[in-house]
Amino acid sequence: MLISSVKKNFCEILDFLRQLKPEDYTIQHLELSNASIGEHIRHIVELYQCLVNNYASGIVNYDFRERNVLIQTQITTAIDRIESLCCEIDKPNKKMQLEQGIDLVSFSVETNYFRELLYNLEHSIHHQALIKVAALKLSHVSLPDHFGVAKSTIEYRLKCAQ
């Protein structure tokens, strides 16, 4: 269920990216604190990459993200990375260690793969909500109503509508 939710979220992001023009992806938006849509997509992608790339070692530290400029400046690179992640995330749950800090580990806590995958999904949805603010200015882009909305919020809204 979790893996399929993440893959579904990746598909929503891919559908969105395929509608963008290169300038849509790289322009800085005042509403995003002068960040671009590409910067937010890079952040989403790199957190997932960090988790997947460190699965074997069992130690994940999101502070050691790649920060690859190509992901934030080239839509095709972002699409390629997300498509790769779709194939790489389907792993069994296992205990992991989450660390924080670059020069010195300032924090370390036990976690597991599924917990971190869920964190990444929720983090992605949060960034999609920010992206949506900028995307709404793009008349040629169509987003589903639930883009950038947490699953619990969608369920709550459906419950209230009944």
Side-chain angles (χ1 to χ4, degrees):
M1 180 80 167
L2 176 59
I3 302 281
S4 63
S5 293
V6 172
K7 288 183 177 184
K8 181 180 175 188
N9 183 254
F10 283 158
C11 287
E12 290 174 0
I13 295 170
L14 290 169
D15 289 344
F16 165 66
L17 291 176
R18 290 182 177 118
Q19 296 178 61
L20 296 180
K21 300 173 186 171
E23 59 270 19
D24 298 333
Y25 192 66
T26 57
I27 191 169
Q28 294 178 318
H29 296 269
L30 181 61
E31 302 88 349
L32 301 180
S33 299
N34 288 321
S36 67
I37 290 171
E39 287 175 89
H40 283 273
I41 295 294
R42 178 191 53 78
H43 184 72
I44 292 167
V45 167
E46 289 185 343
L47 260 65
Y48 277 109
Q49 284 180 322
C50 193
L51 176 60
V52 168
N53 293 343
N54 290 286
Y55 177 85
S57 74
I59 300 170
V60 64
N61 184 330
Y62 297 115
D63 294 335
F64 287 114
R65 295 186 306 279
E66 185 180 355
R67 293 173 171 86
N68 183 338
V69 176
L70 291 178
I71 297 172
Q72 79 182 41
T73 57
Q74 296 182 6
I75 298 170
T76 54
T77 301
I79 289 171
D80 289 346
R81 297 296 166 91
I82 293 169
E83 288 174 341
S84 293
L85 283 167
C86 277
C87 300
E88 298 169 351
I89 61 164
D90 197 353
K91 299 180 181 310
N93 196 21
K94 74 174 205 175
K95 287 185 179 181
M96 297 184 78
Q97 201 66 25
L98 175 64
E99 295 181 347
Q100 183 182 40
I102 294 176
D103 294 328
L104 295 171
V105 174
S106 59
F107 187 77
S108 182
V109 64
E110 190 174 290
T111 189
N112 64 63
Y113 179 67
F114 285 173
R115 166 63 188 96
E116 294 306 310
L117 202 56
L118 180 60
Y119 164 75
N120 276 274
L121 175 59
E122 293 296 326
H123 194 82
S124 175
I125 291 168
H126 164 73
H127 278 273
Q128 286 169 249
L130 295 169
I131 289 167
K132 189 174 189 175
V133 171
L136 289 173
K137 298 188 313 184
L138 305 172
S139 60
H140 59 280
V141 172
S142 175
L143 291 174
D145 291 336
H146 61 270
F147 188 91
V149 180
K151 184 178 184 230
S152 61
T153 303
I154 295 168
E155 290 173 1
Y156 176 76
R157 289 176 180 169
L158 288 173
K159 185 178 176 182
C160 289
Q162 294 177 350

